[in-house]
Amino acid sequence: AGKNPPFGRPGVHVGDLDHRVDERVDARAGRQRAVDQDRVHQRDADRISEAALAEAFDVAGVRVVWSAGPRELDLVHAVDPEGRFVSMAGKLDLAGLWHLLAGAAVLVSPDTGVAHLARLTGTPAVVLFGPGSPIISGPGRFWRDSPFAVVWVEDIPCRDQNLLFERPLPWVRHCWRSVAECGNPRCIQQIDENQVMQAIERVAGIRLEKDGK
Protein backbone atom coordinates (compact mmCIF):
# COMPACT_ATOMS: atom_id res chain seq x y z
CA ALA A 1 0.00 0.00 0.00
CA GLY A 2 1.09 3.59 -0.48
CA LYS A 3 4.22 4.78 -2.23
CA ASN A 4 7.39 2.97 -3.20
CA PRO A 5 9.75 3.51 -0.28
CA PRO A 6 13.22 2.07 0.32
CA PHE A 7 13.95 -0.33 3.16
CA GLY A 8 11.66 -3.17 2.16
CA ARG A 9 8.83 -1.03 0.80
CA PRO A 10 6.85 -0.56 4.01
CA GLY A 11 3.27 0.51 3.72
CA VAL A 12 3.22 2.24 7.09
CA HIS A 13 5.78 3.65 9.45
CA VAL A 14 4.69 3.28 13.05
CA GLY A 15 7.41 5.46 14.34
CA ASP A 16 9.25 7.21 17.09
CA LEU A 17 8.24 5.12 20.05
CA ASP A 18 9.86 7.28 22.69
CA HIS A 19 12.22 9.92 21.31
CA ARG A 20 12.48 11.89 24.55
CA VAL A 21 13.98 15.00 23.04
CA ASP A 22 13.76 18.56 24.23
CA GLU A 23 12.99 20.67 21.17
CA ARG A 24 12.23 23.94 22.92
CA VAL A 25 15.29 25.68 21.49
CA ASP A 26 16.17 25.76 17.78
CA ALA A 27 16.50 22.05 17.15
CA ARG A 28 13.12 21.53 15.48
CA ALA A 29 14.64 20.24 12.22
CA GLY A 30 18.40 19.92 12.51
CA ARG A 31 18.54 18.98 16.20
CA GLN A 32 21.75 21.02 16.58
CA ARG A 33 20.94 21.56 20.24
CA ALA A 34 18.71 18.60 20.91
CA VAL A 35 19.14 17.31 24.44
CA ASP A 36 18.02 13.90 25.61
CA GLN A 37 15.38 14.41 28.30
CA ASP A 38 13.28 12.19 30.53
CA ARG A 39 10.04 13.86 29.52
CA VAL A 40 6.53 12.58 29.81
CA HIS A 41 6.38 10.67 26.52
CA GLN A 42 6.09 7.85 29.03
CA ARG A 43 5.37 4.33 27.87
CA ASP A 44 2.50 2.95 29.91
CA ALA A 45 0.33 -0.13 29.74
CA ASP A 46 -2.79 2.02 29.91
CA ARG A 47 -2.05 4.00 26.76
CA ILE A 48 -2.82 2.86 23.26
CA SER A 49 -0.98 -0.37 22.49
CA GLU A 50 1.54 -0.04 19.67
CA ALA A 51 1.47 -3.83 19.33
CA ALA A 52 -2.29 -3.89 18.84
CA LEU A 53 -2.08 -1.06 16.32
CA ALA A 54 0.65 -2.84 14.39
CA GLU A 55 -1.46 -5.99 14.36
CA ALA A 56 -4.42 -4.03 12.99
CA PHE A 57 -2.25 -2.65 10.19
CA ASP A 58 -1.00 -6.15 9.43
CA VAL A 59 -4.55 -7.51 9.22
CA ALA A 60 -5.37 -4.66 6.83
CA GLY A 61 -2.48 -5.70 4.60
CA VAL A 62 -0.30 -2.71 5.44
CA ARG A 63 3.33 -3.40 6.29
CA VAL A 64 4.68 -1.97 9.54
CA VAL A 65 8.15 -0.52 10.09
CA TRP A 66 9.31 0.54 13.55
CA SER A 67 11.68 3.43 14.16
CA ALA A 68 13.37 4.59 17.34
CA GLY A 69 16.66 6.06 18.49
CA PRO A 70 19.79 3.97 19.04
CA ARG A 71 19.21 3.92 22.80
CA GLU A 72 15.60 2.80 22.43
CA LEU A 73 15.99 -0.65 20.92
CA ASP A 74 14.53 -2.17 24.08
CA LEU A 75 11.32 -0.22 23.52
CA VAL A 76 10.82 -1.78 20.10
CA HIS A 77 11.64 -5.21 21.50
CA ALA A 78 9.08 -4.69 24.26
CA VAL A 79 6.22 -4.12 21.81
CA ASP A 80 7.43 -6.61 19.20
CA PRO A 81 9.50 -9.24 21.06
CA GLU A 82 9.23 -11.78 18.26
CA GLY A 83 10.43 -9.33 15.65
CA ARG A 84 7.37 -9.80 13.44
CA PHE A 85 7.75 -6.39 11.85
CA VAL A 86 10.67 -4.65 10.21
CA SER A 87 12.64 -2.47 12.62
CA MET A 88 14.89 0.39 11.55
CA ALA A 89 15.48 1.39 15.17
CA GLY A 90 18.94 2.83 15.64
CA LYS A 91 19.86 2.29 11.98
CA LEU A 92 18.93 5.56 10.31
CA ASP A 93 20.57 8.94 10.06
CA LEU A 94 18.47 11.98 9.24
CA ALA A 95 18.65 11.34 5.49
CA GLY A 96 17.64 7.71 5.93
CA LEU A 97 14.74 8.68 8.14
CA TRP A 98 13.64 11.21 5.53
CA HIS A 99 13.54 8.50 2.85
CA LEU A 100 11.68 6.10 5.12
CA LEU A 101 9.04 8.72 5.84
CA ALA A 102 8.81 9.77 2.20
CA GLY A 103 7.84 6.24 1.25
CA ALA A 104 5.40 5.52 4.05
CA ALA A 105 1.64 5.48 3.57
CA VAL A 106 1.18 6.89 7.07
CA LEU A 107 3.18 7.73 10.20
CA VAL A 108 1.81 7.17 13.70
CA SER A 109 3.95 8.89 16.30
CA PRO A 110 3.99 10.94 19.49
CA ASP A 111 4.61 14.67 19.18
CA THR A 112 8.33 14.50 18.38
CA GLY A 113 10.72 15.73 15.71
CA VAL A 114 9.98 12.72 13.51
CA ALA A 115 6.30 13.62 13.44
CA HIS A 116 7.08 17.10 12.22
CA LEU A 117 9.59 15.86 9.65
CA ALA A 118 6.66 14.04 8.04
CA ARG A 119 5.25 17.43 7.04
CA LEU A 120 8.30 18.07 4.89
CA THR A 121 7.99 14.71 3.15
CA GLY A 122 4.24 15.09 2.67
CA THR A 123 3.57 11.88 4.57
CA PRO A 124 0.14 11.51 6.20
CA ALA A 125 0.80 11.68 9.93
CA VAL A 126 -1.26 10.82 12.99
CA VAL A 127 0.37 12.59 15.91
CA LEU A 128 -0.40 11.89 19.57
CA PHE A 129 -0.08 14.98 21.75
CA GLY A 130 0.27 14.19 25.44
CA PRO A 131 2.15 16.80 27.47
CA GLY A 132 2.65 18.95 24.36
CA SER A 133 0.16 21.18 22.62
CA PRO A 134 -0.95 21.23 18.98
CA ILE A 135 -1.61 24.94 19.42
CA ILE A 136 2.16 25.37 19.66
CA SER A 137 3.49 22.61 17.42
CA GLY A 138 0.48 21.44 15.43
CA PRO A 139 -0.11 22.22 11.74
CA GLY A 140 -0.65 25.93 12.27
CA ARG A 141 -1.54 28.18 9.36
CA PHE A 142 1.41 27.30 7.15
CA TRP A 143 0.77 23.53 7.32
CA ARG A 144 -3.01 23.68 7.66
CA ASP A 145 -3.53 21.78 4.38
CA SER A 146 -1.01 19.05 5.20
CA PRO A 147 -2.27 15.52 6.00
CA PHE A 148 -1.53 15.92 9.70
CA ALA A 149 -4.07 14.61 12.22
CA VAL A 150 -3.84 15.72 15.83
CA VAL A 151 -4.96 13.22 18.46
CA TRP A 152 -5.17 14.52 22.01
CA VAL A 153 -7.36 14.98 25.05
CA GLU A 154 -7.74 18.73 25.32
CA ASP A 155 -9.05 19.10 28.85
CA ILE A 156 -6.16 17.90 31.04
CA PRO A 157 -5.93 20.08 34.19
CA CYS A 158 -2.26 19.33 34.85
CA ARG A 159 -1.23 20.47 31.35
CA ASP A 160 -0.94 23.90 32.90
CA GLN A 161 2.53 25.30 32.25
CA ASN A 162 2.71 28.37 30.03
CA LEU A 163 6.38 29.09 29.35
CA LEU A 164 7.49 29.22 25.72
CA PHE A 165 11.12 30.11 25.00
CA GLU A 166 11.34 31.14 28.66
CA ARG A 167 8.46 33.62 28.28
CA PRO A 168 5.07 33.18 29.99
CA LEU A 169 2.22 33.27 27.46
CA PRO A 170 -1.38 33.07 28.70
CA TRP A 171 -2.58 31.04 25.68
CA VAL A 172 0.09 28.34 26.08
CA ARG A 173 -0.82 25.14 27.95
CA HIS A 174 1.71 22.32 27.98
CA CYS A 175 3.76 20.32 30.48
CA TRP A 176 7.50 19.86 30.92
CA ARG A 177 7.35 17.75 34.08
CA SER A 178 9.56 14.68 34.15
CA VAL A 179 8.16 11.17 34.43
CA ALA A 180 9.14 11.13 38.11
CA GLU A 181 7.42 14.47 38.76
CA CYS A 182 4.25 13.45 36.91
CA GLY A 183 3.70 9.88 38.02
CA ASN A 184 0.33 9.63 36.29
CA PRO A 185 0.48 10.80 32.63
CA ARG A 186 -3.26 11.06 32.03
CA CYS A 187 -2.60 13.14 28.93
CA ILE A 188 -1.29 10.00 27.22
CA GLN A 189 -3.32 7.37 29.04
CA GLN A 190 -6.65 8.90 28.07
CA ILE A 191 -5.99 8.80 24.34
CA ASP A 192 -8.37 6.22 22.94
CA GLU A 193 -7.56 3.62 20.28
CA ASN A 194 -10.67 4.59 18.36
CA GLN A 195 -9.45 8.18 18.13
CA VAL A 196 -6.20 6.98 16.60
CA MET A 197 -7.84 4.59 14.14
CA GLN A 198 -10.32 7.23 13.02
CA ALA A 199 -7.47 9.69 12.47
CA ILE A 200 -5.58 7.11 10.39
CA GLU A 201 -8.60 6.63 8.16
CA ARG A 202 -9.12 10.37 7.88
CA VAL A 203 -5.61 11.30 6.73
CA ALA A 204 -4.49 8.11 4.98
CA GLY A 205 -7.69 6.38 3.90
CA ILE A 206 -6.67 3.21 5.71
CA ARG A 207 -9.50 1.58 7.61
CA LEU A 208 -8.43 -0.48 10.60
CA GLU A 209 -10.57 -2.86 12.59
CA LYS A 210 -10.25 -3.23 16.34
CA ASP A 211 -9.92 -6.84 17.53
CA GLY A 212 -10.83 -8.06 14.07
CA LYS A 213 -14.24 -6.35 14.16
Side-chain angles (χ1 to χ4, degrees), residues 122-172:
T123 305
V126 173
V127 183
L128 283 58
F129 283 81
S133 169
I135 297 173
I136 299 170
S137 52
R141 293 182 181 178
F142 188 86
W143 298 102
R144 64 182 180 273
D145 296 325
S146 64
F148 187 97
V150 169
V151 180
W152 74 322
V153 178
E154 183 174 0
D155 188 18
I156 300 292
C158 55
R159 193 194 285 123
D160 59 359
Q161 297 174 323
N162 68 350
L163 286 182
L164 184 65
F165 297 107
E166 309 306 326
R167 292 188 303 162
L169 296 173
W171 50 270
V172 168

Side-chain angles (χ1 to χ4, degrees), residues 149-201:
V150 169
V151 180
W152 74 322
V153 178
E154 183 174 0
D155 188 18
I156 300 292
C158 55
R159 193 194 285 123
D160 59 359
Q161 297 174 323
N162 68 350
L163 286 182
L164 184 65
F165 297 107
E166 309 306 326
R167 292 188 303 162
L169 296 173
W171 50 270
V172 168
R173 289 189 64 198
H174 56 184
C175 174
W176 288 103
R177 296 177 181 88
S178 69
V179 173
E181 290 173 316
C182 175
N184 182 27
R186 291 176 291 170
C187 56
I188 286 291
Q189 293 171 355
Q190 291 182 19
I191 291 179
D192 181 77
E193 284 186 0
N194 291 325
Q195 289 179 273
V196 177
M197 290 183 176
Q198 289 168 9
I200 291 167
E201 183 174 6

Side-chain angles (χ1 to χ4, degrees), residues 84-148:
R84 293 184 54 203
F85 306 109
V86 175
S87 174
M88 301 305 298
K91 300 177 182 179
L92 300 176
D93 57 13
L94 184 59
L97 182 58
W98 173 288
H99 285 290
L100 178 62
L101 285 170
V106 64
L107 168 74
V108 180
S109 172
D111 168 32
T112 64
V114 175
H116 306 299
L117 182 61
R119 297 176 188 167
L120 300 179
T121 62
T123 305
V126 173
V127 183
L128 283 58
F129 283 81
S133 169
I135 297 173
I136 299 170
S137 52
R141 293 182 181 178
F142 188 86
W143 298 102
R144 64 182 180 273
D145 296 325
S146 64
F148 187 97

